[in-house]
Amino acid sequence: MSSRYNHKIVEKKWQKIWSGKKVFNVKKNKDKKKYYVLEMFPYPSGKIHMGHVRNYTLGDVVARYKKMRGFNVLHPMGWDAFGLPAENAALTEKKHPGNWTYQNIKIMKSQLLQMGLSLDWDRELATCHPEYYKHEQKFFIDMFKAGLAYKKEAEVNWDPVDKTVLANEQVIDGKGWRSGAVVETKKLSQWFLKISKYSDELLKDLDSLNQWPNKVKLMQSNWIGKSIGANIEFKIFKNDKKITVFTTRPDTIFGATFLAISCDHELVDMLLTKNETLKKFIEECKNLNSDKVKRGYETGLVAEHPFIEGKKIPIFIANFVLKEYGLGAIFGCPAHDQRDLDFANEYKLDVIPVVKPKDSTDNNFTIQRKAYTEDGVIINSEFLNGLNIEDAKKVIIKKLEEKGFGTKKVNYKLRDWGISRQRFWGCPIPIIYREDGEILAEEEVNLPVKLPEIEEFNESSTALANINGWKDTVCSKTGLKAVRETDTFDTFFESSWYYFRYCNTKLDTPLDEDDINYWLPVDQYIGGIEHAILHLLYSRFFTKALRDLGYFKLNEPFKGLFTQGMVTHQTYKNSNGEWIEPKSVLSTDGKFKDKDGLEVFSGKIEKMSKSKKNVVDPNDIISLYGADTARWFMLSDSPPDRDLQWTETGIVSSYKFINKLWDLVEKYENYSVKKISDTQTIEILKENINFVTEYIETFQFNKAVAKIYEYVNTLSLSIQQKGLSKDELMWCLKKLCIILQPFVPHISEEIWFNISGEGLCINQKWTIEVVEKKKKIKIAVQINGKTKDVLEIAQGLTKEQVIEIINKSDKIKRGLENKKIIREIYVEGKIFNFVV
RNA sequence: GGGAGUAUGGCGGAACUGGUAGACGCGCCGGAUUCAAAAUCCGGUCACUUCGGUGGUGUGGGUUCGAUUCCCUCUACUCCUACCA
């Protein structure tokens, strides 16, 4: 045995043994309890970053721990392989995006292998592979036939120079990121999935997800945005048309002083003819999307108030009325809605307060610049007067329904999921447009609808529509000519079901219900908070949709969710405001200088990003210090859900710890003590083990790390004092290997091998230790709540016996001198407090 | 504008349902070893102190025998969302 620990050799060795023995390859086994650990799969961007290292280390701790607790652990990995960066790379390289993607997968896989993750690589998948995406084409067809997928006109960001549709993230300050051209909104026919059908279920079932962070549930709930109110119908004076509005405040109907409709409300078309000023106004509104100024156009039409005989309300077209929400029409009650009030002040409209604060005695309660939106008492509202808001809502809705002017109505912010992308590197939407005008799903036997193999990838290749001949096809039923849909799926489509596919990636059908029944739901899903809404909501929707399509009976895909914090690092800038790499910064006399001696200023600690030059490449770290060191650092100090600050000293100290562990083996080999026993130390170590167990179970890995440090410190001290017998020491070291295994698996195996040689450490059982009840306990003795002394006393004494011991304490005697004891408070095993 | 969260030594962070504040790690200081350094090991490390103590968990208050923990006030920072009627 060489005295210096060589991580390069050792880590490779165990990685080879694990994969050779297929230690992490699992099979469905109904006699064994399963546990499904999943980390959000990576986009193959080229190489792994620290965020991946953190994410996969956290997951690996859980996976290894659960395996050692006897679970049949499914822990798979794959690639979220469609997406725009591949197209951009393809443009530069003039090669097919697949080349770049598969090449990156190869590199990143080798990096992940170096981390020593307990993954079942036999289940690896890449979403860009036809054997993967053909199944989601099938899902789409099922959804299409079930009415869950449909086509409608929708606005997209259109880059007039690149002649392409841009994602929202690709529009920067209203301009295309690539061309710099001003982006136009263009109406295109787009495919949508009817996620809105599940609004209520998606909201309700959040309650059942008790192993999800509240934060994520709240974000989803806000996104779904359920609101309860009423639709109210207004007759237009001297016109046979009507306007229906949605409101959550029907109780303020008597305060309505105007109606406002959105720019593309159906009434606008009628008004538009021969009206140039209106046309101009509408055009302006389109360009004022992000404008907070309230603008309106008075239509000249007036509506009749449903409850006030003869009252006329002007109708405006207003820029602040959203077309996609509710009915694209509102009634304005300026007194109790800030937006309405701003608008009313601008256009000199009446402001009639109909709610006043409960305790207000002001009979002339008026509203100036600030709308009153709190609870209160209804005024100026005939039959509603005197009611509170809640009751008034009930009464007015009942009245509306009686009179036929409106109904109770529930609205959601959640809109249907637009899945069309006018791109190349995505899954083709399996629809054909036949020459007779029929829109049909591709026949299932014809799946997959594959992406074209093209030799040279250029600007015009970035959309399937531009690829010569690809879209031409024939309807296999009728022989009629047809063209394919040239849009591809949003890449969230792929990630919405990959966790099902892992159950069996070789299966010819999308999935097997029996597999799903066994493996799903995912017991622990781990990933970044940035996916709190979209990915997680889409996946939940997919699960419910597939359930309704008869694939299985599962309601929710992810039983437990954990969102980890970011990896951050110090940033530096020079006097020109340019970012400087931290590793090139030198610190002298409290000042920072770069390589050339120019002064550098330390900036904020921020998320690692290329643009700020504060990234640390995991590859460098792993080759220099080893995977165990990197993993240990990722788990030390910071709680997993908080941001982790990368520091050079931190990684070095982790490295030192790994080497210190190795020194223990040497100490063991040279250890020669017989027939002595240190049961006290062993009891402490057992306690430590149980703490580690508890802290893994509760995702407090930083605390587990602290307890392992304590374990090693206690053990080192005992070795030094030669208190343990050699057998006891072996037991302690074996236990140490076991608790280290989820965290730093390579050195854990290596130590295990050196001291025992029997089997693999990862195959050992992780047990809960039985700790003897302590005979002596410590209690704090306080005077007026301030601790004056700490005494060690025997377990289970009476109050009188305790007082007797306390009376012997000098410190307490001194503290009680010349004082009168009013009260004595004794909490067994904790404190004794004198109140004087 | 709306919502959520956070605040503890020089730093990252501990403290069970209110019961010894600062576990553990980093850094720093002192010592051992060394020709010297690195590495390693040992000891110390909240502040003030007349060495008896006193003060101390962002601010100010409250409840309590006792508050980092519960309640109210204010401040700072972070994140999400955004004209959702």
Side-chain angles (χ1 to χ4, degrees):
Chain A
M1 183 178 91
S2 76
S3 64
R4 188 86 189 149
Y5 180 69
N6 187 327
H7 64 81
K8 285 198 174 160
I9 294 169
V10 172
E11 292 188 348
K12 261 221 175 71
K13 169 181 153 189
W14 291 107
Q15 284 160 14
K16 221 172 143 188
I17 291 170
W18 291 328
S19 89
K21 295 193 178 205
K22 292 196 172 286
V23 173
F24 305 116
N25 297 56
V26 282
K27 288 198 180 88
K28 182 165 70 182
N29 174 359
K30 287 182 181 170
D31 299 330
K32 228 173 151 188
K33 236 185 139 191
K34 67 91 186 183
Y35 196 90
Y36 189 171
V37 187
L38 185 68
E39 300 101 37
M40 291 178 183
F41 66 165
Y43 177 78
S45 56
K47 52 184 183 178
I48 61 168
H49 53 70
M50 279 301 170
H52 292 128
V53 175
R54 190 174 196 199
N55 191 184
Y56 302 143
T57 301
L58 294 173
D60 205 47
V61 170
V62 178
R64 285 178 183 264
Y65 168 75
K66 288 289 176 183
K67 179 177 166 62
M68 295 173 86
R69 289 306 299 267
F71 288 90
N72 197 24
V73 174
L74 175 59
H75 188 206
M77 182 56 72
W79 309 96
D80 189 12
F82 274 134
L84 212 57
E87 283 183 24
N88 297 328
L91 284 176
T92 328
E93 295 177 5
K94 305 263 182 241
K95 282 182 188 160
H96 195 278
N99 279 20
W100 182 83
T101 306
Y102 285 112
Q103 208 177 318
N104 285 348
I105 287 176
K106 214 175 140 192
I107 299 166
M108 287 176 73
K109 185 175 176 181
S110 78
Q111 293 183 323
L112 290 185
L113 286 169
Q114 283 179 46
M115 280 183 66
L117 303 169
S118 62
L119 294 165
D120 181 353
W121 282 104
D122 286 356
R123 294 168 188 266
E124 182 182 1
L125 59 79
T127 58
C128 64
H129 201 284
E131 283 305 305
Y132 181 84
Y133 68 68
K134 80 173 186 190
H135 301 297
E136 66 188 40
Q137 290 179 337
K138 162 90 167 83
F139 289 149
F140 178 81
I141 291 167
D142 290 343
M143 289 179 186
F144 176 63
K145 288 179 179 167
L148 283 173
Y150 66 95
K151 208 176 181 193
K152 76 165 182 198
E153 289 259 301
E155 287 188 348
V156 292
N157 303 311
W158 181 257
D159 186 322
V161 172
D162 281 357
K163 294 202 170 36
T164 182
V165 169
L166 299 177
N168 285 336
E169 307 82 63
Q170 294 165 334
V171 181
I172 299 153
D173 289 335
K175 289 171 188 160
W177 67 325
R178 183 176 278 281
S179 68
V182 175
V183 170
E184 299 167 358
T185 52
K186 193 174 169 180
K187 271 202 168 172
L188 279 182
S189 206
Q190 308 261 298
W191 286 97
F192 286 83
L193 297 187
K194 221 172 195 162
I195 189 170
S196 64
K197 189 186 166 193
Y198 292 88
S199 299
D200 207 44
E201 198 190 342
L202 287 166
L203 181 68
K204 247 189 6 232
D205 285 357
L206 286 174
D207 289 341
S208 70
L209 301 173
N210 49 23
Q211 292 177 49
W212 277 43
N214 284 331
K215 190 180 172 177
V216 173
K217 288 195 276 187
L218 189 73
M219 279 164 82
Q220 290 212 355
S221 148
N222 288 340
W223 189 262
I224 294 166
K226 181 177 182 171
S227 53
I228 301 164
N231 279 354
I232 303 177
E233 206 172 74
F234 286 81
K235 281 188 186 129
I236 302 177
F237 186 61
K238 287 188 177 166
N239 191 309
D240 53 359
K241 293 243 179 337
K242 287 171 182 169
I243 293 182
T244 311
V245 305
F246 172 71
T247 179
T248 54
R249 294 295 302 275
D251 54 300
T252 63
I253 183 77
F254 286 93
T257 56
F258 67 94
L259 293 190
I261 58 177
S262 70
C263 290
D264 71 344
H265 192 271
E266 53 176 13
L267 265 183
V268 174
D269 286 340
M270 182 188 89
L271 295 164
L272 258 180
T273 41
K274 293 182 283 178
N275 190 334
E276 287 305 316
T277 40
L278 176 56
K279 271 182 191 163
K280 230 175 126 187
F281 175 79
I282 303 274
E283 271 313 304
E284 270 174 34
C285 277
K286 277 191 177 162
N287 299 325
L288 286 173
N289 275 342
S290 57
D291 194 350
K292 295 273 176 185
V293 181
K294 308 245 174 322
R295 279 165 221 257
Y297 174 89
E298 191 159 6
T299 61
L301 297 173
V302 285
E304 297 174 16
H305 193 287
F307 294 101
I308 307 172
E309 190 74 40
K311 173 157 181 170
K312 302 284 185 289
I313 301 170
I315 301 173
F316 286 82
I317 299 168
N319 69 339
F320 71 96
V321 179
L322 294 177
K323 45 202 159 195
E324 302 97 341
Y325 183 75
L327 298 159
I330 60 154
F331 78 73
C333 175
H336 306 291
D337 183 294
Q338 194 58 47
R339 295 158 303 183
D340 296 347
L341 182 61
D342 293 345
F343 188 79
N345 285 337
E346 187 73 33
Y347 292 93
K348 309 271 182 293
L349 301 168
D350 291 344
V351 179
I352 305 169
V354 290
V355 184
K356 72 172 185 181
K358 266 201 181 78
D359 46 5
S360 163
T361 49
D362 185 2
N363 287 328
N364 296 311
F365 180 67
T366 51
I367 299 289
Q368 302 297 329
R369 294 264 141 210
K370 198 162 180 333
Y372 181 73
T373 53
E374 310 287 302
D375 197 7
V377 182
I378 306 282
I379 52 171
N380 299 330
S381 301
E382 300 184 8
F383 54 89
L384 296 178
N385 285 342
L387 296 172
N388 65 35
I389 290 177
E390 262 330 288
D391 292 341
K393 280 181 183 171
K394 282 179 199 150
V395 172
I396 192 74
I397 287 170
K398 207 175 151 212
K399 201 86 167 186
L400 282 166
E401 288 176 343
E402 269 171 28
K403 292 202 162 194
F405 294 152
T407 50
K408 184 175 178 180
K409 173 80 183 162
V410 176
N411 243 315
Y412 298 91
K413 280 202 294 189
L414 183 66
R415 280 178 232 137
D416 280 341
W417 174 15
I419 50 164
S420 287
R421 296 292 180 272
Q422 293 69 33
R423 310 245 41 114
F424 177 92
W425 194 233
C427 172
I429 299 178
I431 289 287
I432 61 171
Y433 301 93
R434 213 161 61 188
E435 58 180 340
D436 63 355
E438 283 292 307
I439 300 176
L440 301 166
E442 181 58 91
E443 292 294 314
E444 284 176 29
V445 288
N446 295 336
L447 297 185
V449 178
K450 280 195 195 172
L451 287 171
E453 293 295 330
I454 49 171
E455 286 300 315
E456 200 185 301
F457 200 84
N458 56 39
E459 294 289 342
S460 74
S461 319
T462 57
L464 282 176
N466 301 341
I467 313 279
N468 269 341
W470 182 81
K471 63 181 174 188
D472 301 321
T473 186
V474 174
C475 170
S476 50
K477 261 193 203 156
T478 59
L480 288 171
K481 278 190 195 167
V483 288
R484 293 196 180 286
E485 170 63 68
T486 55
D487 286 353
T488 54
F489 288 141
D490 176 4
T491 57
F492 277 115
F493 205 100
E494 283 83 57
S495 54
S496 293
W497 71 284
Y498 76 109
Y499 46 90
F500 292 129
R501 186 65 185 168
Y502 279 138
C503 293
N504 187 342
T505 48
K506 313 284 188 305
L507 204 66
D508 200 43
T509 53
L511 48 87
D512 175 70
E513 189 175 356
D514 196 53
D515 287 341
I516 302 296
N517 286 342
Y518 180 69
W519 290 116
L520 271 287
V522 173
D523 294 278
Q524 188 62 62
Y525 197 29
I526 307 168
I529 187 87
E530 65 272 22
H531 294 110
I533 296 173
L534 297 182
H535 163 60
L536 290 167
L537 195 62
Y538 292 151
S539 296
R540 294 181 61 221
F541 156 66
F542 242 72
T543 303
K544 292 174 193 300
L546 293 180
R547 175 200 63 196
D548 291 348
L549 291 168
Y551 282 94
F552 45 66
K553 293 183 184 65
L554 189 71
N555 288 319
E556 286 288 339
F558 311 124
K559 191 171 165 207
L561 174 71
F562 190 89
T563 51
Q564 98 244 16
M566 299 181 297
V567 182
T568 63
H569 195 194
Q570 178 69 252
T571 58
Y572 294 96
K573 273 184 177 181
N574 65 15
S575 50
N576 297 331
E578 294 158 340
W579 300 100
I580 304 291
E581 284 185 17
K583 64 178 168 187
S584 66
V585 174
L586 303 164
S587 167
T588 38
D589 316 325
K591 283 195 173 179
F592 301 107
K593 300 212 164 132
D594 69 5
K595 280 179 248 173
D596 306 323
L598 295 171
E599 194 168 357
V600 167
F601 306 92
S602 66
K604 273 194 197 166
I605 293 160
E606 294 196 71
K607 180 182 178 176
M608 283 190 181
S609 78
K610 273 185 204 155
S611 62
K612 287 172 185 142
K613 292 197 174 172
N614 65 339
V615 287
V616 174
D617 189 344
N619 220 25
D620 298 345
I621 299 301
I622 290 172
S623 69
L624 195 58
Y625 301 106
D628 282 343
T629 299
R631 293 170 61 120
W632 188 252
F633 175 71
M634 288 290 144
L635 299 164
S636 312
D637 288 0
S638 294
D641 55 337
R642 285 209 223 164
D643 287 354
L644 167 78
Q645 196 189 329
W646 179 271
T647 60
E648 196 59 37
T649 51
I651 192 78
V652 169
S653 80
S654 295
Y655 184 64
K656 285 180 186 170
F657 176 69
I658 299 294
N659 285 297
K660 193 173 166 182
L661 286 175
W662 187 241
D663 293 342
L664 287 175
V665 179
E666 211 158 355
K667 283 181 186 159
Y668 169 74
E669 287 180 346
N670 302 328
Y671 197 79
S672 58
V673 175
K674 281 172 196 164
K675 287 184 185 171
I676 313 171
S677 180
D678 186 355
T679 47
Q680 211 184 337
T681 296
I682 290 180
E683 286 303 309
I684 294 171
L685 294 182
K686 282 181 176 173
E687 261 179 20
N688 271 324
I689 293 170
N690 289 344
F691 272 118
V692 174
T693 308
E694 188 195 325
Y695 289 145
I696 293 179
E697 292 278 358
T698 52
F699 244 93
Q700 297 177 285
F701 301 152
N702 57 319
K703 290 202 238 169
V705 163
K707 287 295 170 188
I708 292 174
Y709 273 118
E710 282 185 21
Y711 187 105
V712 172
N713 290 346
T714 308
L715 183 59
S716 295
L717 190 70
S718 187
I719 290 171
Q720 204 187 322
Q721 293 169 345
K722 304 235 172 205
L724 293 159
S725 72
K726 184 138 185 170
D727 285 349
E728 281 176 334
L729 177 55
M730 178 156 145
W731 183 90
C732 293
L733 284 173
K734 276 186 167 178
K735 281 291 176 189
L736 175 62
C737 289
I738 289 171
I739 59 172
L740 281 172
Q741 176 57 216
F743 300 84
V744 285
H746 307 92
I747 193 162
S748 146
E749 288 288 4
E750 184 68 9
I751 298 176
W752 181 267
F753 175 77
N754 273 279
I755 59 171
S756 115
E758 296 160 25
L760 290 173
C761 184
I762 181 67
N763 287 331
Q764 304 307 309
K765 285 275 162 290
W766 181 303
T767 50
I768 290 161
E769 299 300 322
V770 181
V771 181
E772 271 180 44
K773 209 178 173 194
K774 277 185 199 158
K775 286 172 192 140
K776 290 206 161 184
I777 47 164
K778 279 180 184 174
I779 66 157
V781 185
Q782 305 177 328
I783 295 171
N784 284 349
K786 295 203 166 154
T787 303
K788 298 291 169 187
D789 201 3
V790 179
L791 300 174
E792 207 172 63
I793 61 164
Q795 186 87 255
L797 297 181
T798 62
K799 189 175 172 183
E800 286 68 31
Q801 286 172 306
V802 174
I803 290 175
E804 210 171 297
I805 296 166
I806 290 170
N807 283 338
K808 289 175 192 154
S809 160
D810 290 338
K811 287 180 188 171
I812 299 301
K813 267 185 217 159
R814 210 183 301 131
L816 291 176
E817 249 168 48
N818 307 324
K819 303 260 166 64
K820 199 176 153 196
I821 297 168
I822 304 167
R823 231 174 117 186
E824 289 165 352
I825 294 156
Y826 178 49
V827 181
E828 216 182 308
K830 281 182 180 165
I831 57 116
F832 194 106
N833 189 14
F834 292 98
V835 186
V836 297

